[in-house]
Amino acid sequence: VFLSCFYHNQKTSPLFISPRRHRLPKLVPPALPVNGTFSWVRVVLFLSDEEIIHRIGYDALIFLRFHRLALRCIVKMSFFSFLVVLPLNFTGDGHKMNDGEGYGMGELLFTDFMRFTMANVSGGSPRLWVHCFAIYLLTGIVVRELLVEYNAFNNIRHRYLLSREAHLRTVLVTNIPRHLRAPSKITTYFKNVYPEAVKSVTICQNLIRLEKLVQKRTHILTAIEKELLVLCRSEKRKLVITTLSAFDRVKFTVTNLPKKLLSCVGCSDGQERLAWLYSKLEELNDGIEKEHVRRDRVMKTMDALQAAEGSGDIDYVLAVSQGEGNHVASGDSDVMMRRNGKKRGQINLVNGNIIDDDDNNGKEKDDKSFAKDAIYRYSQELKARNFLGRLRPTEYHDSTDPSVHGNNGKFGYIENHTNEVTDKAFVVMRTFTASTIAIQSMHSSKPGSMQVSTAPEPRDLLWENIYVSKGAKKTRSLIADALVLLLISFYIIPVAIISLLVSENALVSYSPRIAQLDQASALFSSAIAIVQPLCLVGIQQLLPPLFIFIGKCEGIISFSEVQMKAFSRYFMFQILNIFLVTAIAGSIFDTLAIIIENPEAALLMLGNSLPRMSSFFITFVTMKTFLGLGVELGKSQLPFFFCLVHIKSNGSSNCLLRSYSSTVRTVSVIQSLLRLVFCPLSTLRQKRSIRCGCRSIDDPGWFPFHKILAQDMLVVVISVVFAVVAPIVLLPCALFCLFSRILWTHHHLYVFESVFETGGQFWPKIFRRFVFGLVVAQATITGQFILKEARHEAYATIALLCMTYFFLRSTRARYDNASSTLPLEVATCMDISVKQEEEEARRRRDDANDVSHHDIDDPWDLAYVQPALRATSKAKPEQPFPPAQLGRAETFLSGTDDDQHGTVRLNSLSHKDRVIIDGWWNEQIRNAGKQKIFNVLIGEESGTLRVGRSSNRRMSEMESVANANAERGIMV
């Protein structure tokens, strides 16, 4: 059903189901072929890895290769499992046992399906050696495929690191010592350590007050644009209504009454409110400009300030070894501050200069003891940060305003200069060699100080977490882990409450009318029965965004790392509450109680319970394959029938009732309807923004790696665990991996947008969880052998457990460091080749007398500058709407314009367009050569299809059709 809807929508509105084509037309291939229901599948399967990297990036490639890896392991193990293990299980005599003890079950409890599992093999049977060999074979297959995939990941990772992106030569420095928290000092330090290799150093500042000003200004701009929109629409109505007859005026008033009520709220005093908003905007612009000037002044003053603490360390000596000859010697700075009666860290600013607090005061204070200095520094640290370790806004008084005085009546007084900056900085290197050495080196003799790591992409940064210190991040991490543990442990409580409140019996008991409908209508009874499962699924769907929120509050600096941590936590939740607890006991507390009472019972419970649950997991994976993936494709589609009433322009009462069958993205439509109900009048700025978690209909958002990876990884664990215990489970698991690969390749290409690029950093976490599934499978077989009194086979699988753990440790030791950073020899060769290319390009420009490239600004110069510093000081409201948003005259007359509230208006492909598209894709597949279908489906190879250009006339026609369709997306 979902595939039929998808095929229909491909022909009727190709851009609507492919929003990525509308937003990123240069990165997205043309519309998929529509000459058959499954014609688009071969295009998705035959795409090469090179094309995937070019179109959607390295992270998406690793995600898709994960499904190929799982499918290879399942198919290779299926040959032995279906040909040997499955007949061996079915012909066993375990179903004839009726001893009531151990694992033997009576005939009444032993279902026909259990005959296909390992439970049908009697205890002590020599057939168990075949299962022992099967688990060794499964381990060998999985280990071999994991090594192959890790080698591929290592090559992909190095290719990403060699992609010459500027952020790959940028390092993030955290936990900077206090005596180096100044722009000139940290810059001088790195320029001394890496001569002629540092391009720029950007220290992160405390911009909380500036960020609040920018946020307030954004709200004011939004309000101004909304007022302009309402004002223009009201003026438009006045112009239209003057040309109408009396009858049409009454009809127009009744039809547009809801809109008039919404807009009239701001029409009575709209001009006064606009004047007030513009005056407020000017005040905020002036405040932001003054704050920008003040930040420059503070940074210059901090460069001139010397700190005595840490002056004997080697990093401080490097920081003052050049460029600071006119400054006060480090050994005398503290003495001069005491002589002038100042506290350490307190300075006065007047026009950017340091002013002595008491020029006439010649008294010299006694030297403070070391303990008193330590107490003072600790108290200042407590004042500078809130309870969770986040910096507080800096308190200052503007020195340019003579009416405002600082402490003791002085101008421009700053309480603590260490509160003006954070402990983080971004260093952009000129060479790959310098960044590689910086990441792998120790920069300070103090443990944990001056830690250098690879900087995230600028779009991947969570700037609000820049202010969280290292200690506060550890505290937040402990709190977050404890919260997640409590959430996983007590998850059964909200599930039990919801099950109690919305069960079928509870809903029927709420009202006699509901009970009557339940007995009278089978359809109503079925609808009531679905309420409880839907509520439980809804609760589970709340967990992934909750884990994302917890990760952000934890203080993690990049969104990709937040997703990785959410993936780990969501996977742990599914393993405990869906896999183990469902199979073994009713709740996690029951399981823990049994294990605490008898620790040896852990393996026995796995061996005893999992074979019984094989039928449940077959149903579970089958539902995820056909219904779950269908709904994901249904994020693509939902049959939606609606009627359009067209009234003729002459005002006659003839109505043409037309029924249109359209397929729309379910989630996007629901979110757009919510935005339409609660925000009927939206400006362009509001349409681009996310409002209460709802996006615009043409904004698909980012791909939830954490959620999809955790759910798919659970299926992989199920397939590995039951490959020997109940081989029939492998069939739905193989179908799930194959269909997932097809579906997610399409969605990555045509639906979702990328918000970060880590070069495949999800793979190490996938690898560890793959090995975890293998360990659970081995533990399950060990429990089965113990139950069936096969001691020698149990000892063999216990030895296999030890070997698997050794494989995990050795593989991580071999690949983790090699794949995390670029090898030094490769980085050196890369720098040499880049330098030669730059010299050759410079020589060609000199020969051609081309001076246009000499003064080109580097777009990466401001990439790692905080957004508040990049904000313009004189912001103006943008045009709140395109001209079409005001509507046509007949729109206001009828009030029934079908596209009035749409975001994207698209036209369907004509028959000629479809023929051209199908012919072009057929030519692309022919140019890619003959595909090895078996290797593409279950092998290590990918397809060879590259979306290239053709030299014939059909290709030019295809490109013109694609461009014309892209232009048909009209923002209204």
Side-chain angles (χ1 to χ4, degrees):
V1 171
F2 286 112
L3 282 174
S4 300
C5 296
F6 180 79
Y7 173 65
H8 172 75
N9 211 16
Q10 279 183 301
K11 297 184 294 183
T12 55
S13 54
L15 285 182
F16 185 65
I17 65 166
S18 307
R20 195 167 181 259
R21 287 190 63 215
H22 179 70
R23 300 169 70 90
L24 301 171
K26 293 184 179 180
L27 286 179
V28 183
L32 290 171
V34 290
N35 57 347
T37 306
F38 301 99
S39 59
W40 61 277
V41 174
R42 61 172 183 168
V43 174
V44 171
L45 285 176
F46 293 162
L47 277 179
S48 64
D49 289 349
E50 295 289 333
E51 192 68 22
I52 292 175
I53 291 175
H54 172 67
R55 300 284 179 177
I56 52 182
Y58 296 88
D59 288 330
L61 175 63
I62 292 297
F63 175 79
L64 298 176
R65 287 185 67 94
F66 155 68
H67 290 90
R68 287 158 51 182
L69 166 68
L71 186 60
R72 291 202 306 269
C73 294
I74 293 173
V75 171
K76 290 182 179 180
M77 187 60 197
S78 296
F79 287 105
F80 185 81
S81 296
F82 282 104
L83 296 178
V84 179
V85 179
L86 193 62
L88 202 69
N89 292 340
F90 186 77
T91 57
D93 53 358
H95 61 285
K96 299 178 182 180
M97 299 176 62
N98 190 16
D99 52 5
E101 296 180 359
Y103 186 67
M105 294 183 297
E107 295 183 1
L108 294 178
L109 299 177
F110 207 102
T111 62
D112 291 336
F113 184 81
M114 292 291 289
R115 298 188 61 179
F116 293 96
T117 67
M118 191 178 173
N120 197 34
V121 181
S122 59
S125 173
R127 298 187 179 197
L128 295 176
W129 281 108
V130 178
H131 295 86
C132 183
F133 173 77
I135 193 62
Y136 269 84
L137 177 63
L138 174 65
T139 303
I141 291 174
V142 172
V143 166
R144 191 258 178 189
E145 296 299 333
L146 285 176
L147 288 176
V148 170
E149 198 64 27
Y150 224 133
N151 280 320
F153 163 72
N154 194 41
N155 297 330
I156 293 171
R157 178 69 180 168
H158 286 171
R159 177 177 175 181
Y160 165 74
L161 294 174
L162 290 173
S163 59
R164 300 188 183 183
E165 297 289 344
H167 71 275
L168 298 176
R169 291 182 283 106
T170 305
V171 296
L172 172 63
V173 187
T174 58
N175 202 20
I176 301 174
R178 290 184 175 277
H179 52 270
L180 290 182
R181 294 182 190 178
S184 64
K185 291 182 177 61
I186 192 67
T187 302
T188 305
Y189 168 79
F190 276 97
K191 286 187 176 180
N192 275 285
V193 178
Y194 307 100
E196 299 181 358
V198 178
K199 183 177 180 181
S200 63
V201 179
T202 305
I203 190 168
C204 298
Q205 306 178 32
N206 184 357
L207 303 177
I208 297 179
R209 185 177 185 276
L210 180 59
E211 290 171 351
K212 289 182 179 179
L213 291 175
V214 173
Q215 186 178 8
K216 290 180 181 178
R217 187 178 67 178
T218 303
H219 293 329
I220 293 297
L221 289 173
T222 304
I224 292 176
E225 293 163 4
K226 185 67 173 288
E227 290 292 333
L228 291 175
L229 177 62
V230 173
L231 180 62
C232 291
R233 290 182 69 91
S234 61
E235 294 297 326
K236 176 72 174 182
R237 290 191 183 93
K238 292 178 182 179
L239 292 176
V240 172
I241 202 170
T242 55
T243 61
L244 300 178
S245 61
F247 176 76
D248 290 334
R249 288 182 185 181
V250 174
K251 183 174 65 174
F252 176 82
T253 304
V254 173
T255 304
N256 295 274
L257 184 59
K259 299 178 183 177
K260 189 173 181 181
L261 292 176
L262 287 172
S263 59
C264 283
V265 176
C267 289
S268 59
D269 56 344
Q271 295 182 353
E272 296 180 2
R273 186 160 49 251
L274 270 177
W276 179 84
L277 289 173
Y278 271 106
S279 64
K280 190 67 176 177
L281 177 62
E282 292 298 326
E283 292 178 5
L284 291 173
N285 282 336
D286 294 339
I288 291 173
E289 185 176 8
K290 289 181 180 179
E291 184 66 15
H292 281 162
V293 174
R294 175 188 171 269
R295 297 309 312 175
D296 294 337
R297 220 167 44 233
V298 169
M299 291 298 103
K300 291 178 182 178
T301 307
M302 291 186 65
D303 289 340
L305 182 66
Q306 292 288 349
E309 181 186 357
S311 60
D313 296 339
I314 182 64
D315 48 10
Y316 185 83
V317 174
L318 289 174
V320 299
S321 61
Q322 67 176 15
E324 295 188 2
N326 56 344
H327 292 168
V328 183
S330 61
D332 300 332
S333 59
D334 193 30
V335 177
M336 292 187 63
M337 294 179 70
R338 293 197 187 104
R339 183 179 303 166
N340 294 328
K342 292 183 182 179
K343 297 179 181 179
R344 182 181 290 115
Q346 293 181 354
I347 56 177
N348 290 334
L349 301 179
V350 176
N351 297 327
N353 300 320
I354 301 179
I355 303 300
D356 194 352
D357 274 343
D358 197 357
D359 295 334
N360 299 323
N361 187 4
K363 297 180 181 180
E364 296 183 3
K365 295 187 178 180
D366 296 334
D367 292 338
K368 298 179 181 179
S369 63
F370 177 79
K372 194 171 182 179
D373 285 342
I375 293 174
Y376 171 75
R377 289 195 299 270
Y378 181 72
S379 63
Q380 293 299 314
E381 174 68 17
L382 292 180
K383 291 180 181 179
R385 299 184 181 273
N386 59 16
F387 175 73
L388 294 178
R390 181 181 171 90
L391 282 173
R392 299 181 188 275
T394 55
E395 296 181 0
Y396 73 99
H397 299 280
D398 190 3
S399 60
T400 60
D401 188 0
S403 62
V404 180
H405 298 277
N407 196 18
N408 298 326
K410 300 298 185 293
F411 297 110
Y413 179 81
I414 294 180
E415 175 64 25
N416 190 356
H417 75 279
T418 59
N419 193 27
E420 294 289 345
V421 294
T422 68
D423 62 341
K424 299 175 181 64
F426 293 97
V427 182
V428 182
M429 301 292 185
R430 298 183 184 275
T431 62
F432 290 95
T433 305
S435 61
T436 303
I437 295 175
I439 294 170
Q440 301 177 5
S441 302
M442 183 178 295
H443 290 78
S444 178
S445 58
K446 295 182 178 180
S449 181
M450 291 285 285
Q451 294 180 344
V452 180
S453 59
T454 304
E457 268 189 321
R459 59 177 178 168
D460 190 20
L461 282 170
L462 297 176
W463 289 104
E464 62 270 18
N465 289 337
I466 287 290
Y467 307 116
V468 181
S469 63
K470 180 182 177 182
K473 185 178 178 181
K474 290 183 179 179
T475 304
R476 293 186 178 196
S477 180
L478 292 175
I479 296 175
D481 291 339
L483 180 61
V484 170
L485 184 60
L486 290 175
L487 184 64
I488 294 176
S489 302
F490 294 95
Y491 173 74
I492 192 64
I493 295 178
V495 169
I497 294 175
I498 293 297
S499 300
L500 182 64
L501 294 178
V502 298
S503 64
E504 185 175 1
N505 294 331
L507 292 176
V508 171
S509 64
Y510 288 154
S511 172
R513 180 60 179 168
I514 297 179
Q516 294 176 1
L517 292 174
D518 180 61
Q519 296 177 356
S521 173
L523 181 62
F524 188 81
S525 178
S526 301
I528 290 180
I530 296 176
V531 173
Q532 182 182 10
L534 288 179
C535 292
L536 296 179
V537 171
I539 292 178
Q540 187 175 349
Q541 294 302 313
L542 293 176
L543 291 176
L546 179 60
F547 289 147
I548 288 288
F549 175 76
I550 292 175
K552 289 182 178 180
C553 295
E554 196 173 338
I556 300 174
I557 202 173
S558 65
F559 184 59
S560 59
E561 190 177 352
V562 169
Q563 283 213 29
M564 293 179 194
K565 204 150 194 176
F567 160 58
S568 301
R569 289 167 173 168
Y570 191 44
F571 175 76
M572 180 176 63
F573 164 81
Q574 291 197 109
I575 289 296
L576 292 178
N577 283 284
I578 297 179
F579 184 71
L580 295 179
V581 173
T582 302
I584 295 175
S587 70
I588 192 171
F589 295 106
D590 297 337
T591 306
L592 290 176
I594 296 173
I595 295 177
I596 291 174
E597 182 179 357
N598 186 10
E600 298 178 357
L603 296 178
L604 298 179
M605 287 192 309
L606 282 175
N608 190 14
S609 302
L610 286 181
R612 302 183 186 184
M613 299 300 297
S614 55
S615 59
F616 165 77
F617 285 113
I618 287 179
T619 306
F620 176 77
V621 178
T622 303
M623 294 295 289
K624 283 184 67 68
T625 303
F626 295 100
L627 183 60
L629 294 181
V631 170
E632 290 294 341
L633 189 64
K635 269 183 188 181
S636 279
Q637 338 298 320
L638 175 68
F640 183 65
F641 300 92
F642 57 93
C643 298
L644 299 178
V645 181
H646 295 272
I647 301 178
K648 292 184 178 181
S649 56
N650 56 5
S652 63
S653 59
N654 294 330
C655 297
L656 299 177
L657 195 62
R658 299 181 181 180
S659 177
Y660 287 85
S661 173
S662 178
T663 53
V664 292
R665 287 176 287 127
T666 311
V667 177
S668 299
V669 167
I670 294 174
Q671 292 183 355
S672 298
L673 289 176
L674 292 176
R675 290 170 64 104
L676 179 62
V677 171
F678 295 102
C679 307
L681 296 177
S682 297
T683 63
L684 290 180
R685 187 191 301 270
Q686 292 174 330
K687 288 183 178 180
R688 292 194 304 264
S689 63
I690 303 174
R691 312 185 72 179
C692 300
C694 296
R695 298 177 180 271
S696 177
I697 196 171
D698 62 339
D699 183 8
W702 43 270
F703 182 75
F705 282 100
H706 63 294
K707 174 184 173 182
I708 305 302
L709 263 179
Q711 293 176 351
D712 294 359
M713 197 72 230
L714 176 63
V715 177
V716 173
V717 171
I718 292 173
S719 65
V720 174
V721 169
F722 287 95
V724 179
V725 175
I728 200 171
V729 181
L730 294 177
L731 181 60
C733 291
L735 293 176
F736 176 82
C737 293
L738 177 61
F739 294 164
S740 296
R741 174 187 172 185
I742 297 172
L743 172 70
W744 297 127
T745 303
H746 171 270
H747 276 28
H748 275 291
L749 280 171
Y750 290 95
V751 179
F752 293 106
E753 297 182 15
S754 175
V755 293
F756 58 79
E757 181 61 71
T758 65
Q761 284 290 65
F762 281 92
W763 166 250
K765 292 184 175 294
I766 296 174
F767 168 77
R768 293 195 292 270
R769 280 143 191 84
F770 224 114
V771 177
F772 169 79
L774 189 59
V775 170
V776 175
Q778 295 167 357
T780 304
I781 295 297
T782 304
Q784 281 280 310
F785 290 153
I786 295 175
L787 285 170
K788 296 179 180 298
E789 299 180 356
R791 302 295 178 182
H792 298 289
E793 292 90 336
Y795 295 149
T797 52
I798 290 175
L800 186 61
L801 279 168
C802 299
M803 288 187 288
T804 304
Y805 178 76
F806 174 76
F807 161 74
L808 173 65
R809 302 296 299 178
S810 61
T811 305
R812 292 193 61 185
R814 178 183 177 185
Y815 286 102
D816 281 0
N817 292 332
S819 59
S820 60
T821 58
L822 197 63
L824 194 58
E825 58 178 354
V826 179
T828 305
C829 296
M830 187 70 178
D831 291 332
I832 294 174
S833 63
V834 170
K835 186 176 181 181
Q836 290 176 352
E837 292 177 3
E838 290 177 352
E839 292 178 353
E840 181 66 24
R842 189 182 303 109
R843 189 181 303 110
R844 287 198 299 266
R845 289 197 301 266
D846 294 340
D847 295 341
N849 294 326
D850 186 8
V851 297
S852 59
H853 292 79
H854 289 289
D855 298 328
I856 294 180
D857 295 332
D858 188 358
W860 287 93
D861 287 342
L862 301 178
Y864 288 98
V865 177
Q866 291 164 270
L869 288 177
R870 283 180 282 166
T872 177
S873 58
K874 297 295 182 183
K876 298 180 181 180
E878 63 181 16
Q879 183 176 351
F881 48 82
Q885 191 170 356
L886 287 178
R888 301 180 300 275
E890 56 269 22
T891 299
F892 293 96
L893 287 174
S894 63
T896 58
D897 184 22
D898 53 310
D899 286 333
Q900 185 173 352
H901 298 296
T903 306
V904 180
R905 181 187 297 144
L906 299 172
N907 295 330
S908 61
L909 295 175
S910 65
H911 177 71
K912 180 180 179 182
D913 297 337
R914 299 177 207 165
V915 172
I916 294 175
I917 289 176
D918 295 339
W920 183 81
W921 278 112
N922 290 332
E923 181 183 359
Q924 293 296 308
I925 294 177
R926 286 196 302 269
N927 294 338
K930 186 177 181 181
Q931 305 290 333
K932 301 178 181 179
I933 305 297
F934 185 79
N935 292 336
V936 170
L937 288 178
I938 62 172
E940 301 170 8
E941 303 177 6
S942 64
T944 59
L945 177 61
R946 297 293 303 271
V947 182
R949 292 181 176 270
S950 257
S951 58
N952 58 12
R953 183 169 58 88
R954 175 171 290 182
M955 179 58 199
S956 61
E957 293 178 356
M958 171 60 203
E959 290 180 348
S960 63
V961 169
N963 294 332
N965 289 330
E967 292 176 356
R968 291 174 186 172
I970 305 173
M971 303 298 295
V972 295

